Amino acid sequence: MKEKIEVSENKEVASKTQKSISKKRKSKKIHGILITIFVVLIAFVLGLSIMYLYSKNNPTVITSKKTVSEIKVSEEAMEDAIDKVYDSVLCIQVLDQSGNVISSGSGFVYSKDSKYGYILTNSHVVSGATTVQGVLSNNNTVELKVLGTDSYTDLAVLRMDAKDVLGVASIGKSSNVKVGNTVFTVGSPMGSNYSGTVTKGILSGKDRLIETSSSTDSYTTESYIVKVMQTDAAISPGNSGGPLVDLAGDVIGINSLKLVDSSVEGLGFAIPIEDAMSYVDTLAQGKKVERPILGVQILDLTNKLLLQRYGINYDSSINEGIILVKVNGGYPASDAGLKNMDVVTKINGEKVTTTSQFKYELYKYSIGDTIEVTYVRNGKEKTTKIKLDKSK
């Protein structure tokens, strides 16, 4: 009996010892797990900190193909972007009757079908041309046909045989590109000898309103305002009509003009691609771009010399505005009650002080729209509603 009791006590001691050992093992296991989790958390936080510091000092640029470090922009992203657009660009040459090149510019293929490739360029590049040819990126020369031009937007559409097309440009969105982003141009400064020239810069500004004009002896001036993007990428004679391209290799604008002055440098301008593409179908069909007209002849009120030259009397109490030299009967302005010598000061609340501003505000609207015109007659300010119409 005594032996049974001792055996039983020994079993109880052994059981307690085993439980104690098991608890210690579980405790060590939990402790190990906690240490592991703690180490992982520390590593994760440390990793995030390193990534943040790296990204802060090495910003990234995202292209359609890859995300690259800003350090590699000039090598990797630029190479991809240039390759993407390069073969779509061509040097456009205007020839005289003897076959001599008299002027040149740039352009790019924006579309292609089974028969033709369609080229976008500036109107002033091919203005008045009868014979036009293109020099491709492989130096082959092809015949081009002018399909349509529009001097107000400075756009023209040409075509070439589809079999000669080496590449078609990808059309992007200028609205997606921010001021300060890297951009580049491809074109033919100074003619075909320098065709395929690439220049790089940044987008320096957006929605710039630039006024251009040409002298005329008629009442209707040739001045107008265009909305453009500004860049410091080098734009030289011969670059006109070429593409302004982002780092994804997409065309975001059409190089159109630059400011030339001994006191300025790096002021080039491009037509936003969205604005250009809204006209290409019309021009490709050889149709004239129709804009609303009022049926008036106008002059700047501030152009005192020209007003005196034509013996035009006006209300001297008015300092700025557009004088209606002649209001033609049967047109929207006449139908709305406007008369000769009225001075228009606003269109839909927007002030107009020059003929170019007048046309810029007017051309914001489409045929069939109704606008409110503010004008002064006999010293009194009045308003009238005008329903816009097209040329008759």
Side-chain angles (χ1 to χ4, degrees), residues 10 42 217 349:
N10 288 337
I42 291 296
D217 290 330

Side-chain angles (χ1 to χ4, degrees), residues 206-330:
K206 301 178 75 172
D207 298 331
R208 302 294 199 203
L209 298 180
I210 302 297
E211 182 173 359
T212 62
S213 62
S214 58
S215 300
T216 177
D217 290 330
S218 66
Y219 286 144
T220 305
T221 66
E222 294 298 323
S223 61
Y224 53 91
I225 289 175
V226 291
K227 184 177 73 172
V228 293
M229 299 180 294
Q230 178 186 335
T231 179
D232 66 348
I235 297 177
S236 303
N239 276 117
S240 294
L244 183 69
V245 188
D246 64 16
L247 279 180
D250 297 332
V251 178
I252 60 168
I254 303 169
N255 301 320
S256 182
L257 65 152
K258 66 177 293 185
L259 291 185
V260 180
D261 192 289
S262 59
S263 61
V264 299
E265 185 176 349
L267 285 176
F269 300 96
I271 303 165
I273 194 62
E274 295 93 334
D275 294 349
M277 295 305 293
S278 65
Y279 295 102
V280 294
D281 289 343
T282 299
L283 295 177
Q285 295 172 28
K287 297 179 180 179
K288 181 180 179 181
V289 176
E290 292 186 333
R291 295 186 175 85
I293 65 167
L294 297 182
V296 296
Q297 290 177 298
I298 58 178
L299 281 176
D300 294 355
L301 194 63
T302 55
N303 196 338
K304 309 296 184 184
L305 292 177
L306 199 57
L307 293 173
Q308 292 175 4
R309 177 179 177 182
Y310 289 103
I312 298 171
N313 297 315
Y314 57 93
D315 189 342
S316 59
S317 65
I318 308 172
N319 296 320
E320 57 184 19
I322 304 303
I323 189 166
L324 304 183
V325 177
K326 184 178 181 180
V327 178
N328 299 305

Side-chain angles (χ1 to χ4, degrees), residues 132-146:
V132 184
Q133 65 183 20
V135 181
L136 307 179
S137 61
N138 61 3
N139 292 322
N140 287 347
T141 300
V142 297
E143 291 184 3
L144 305 177
K145 180 179 180 180
V146 179

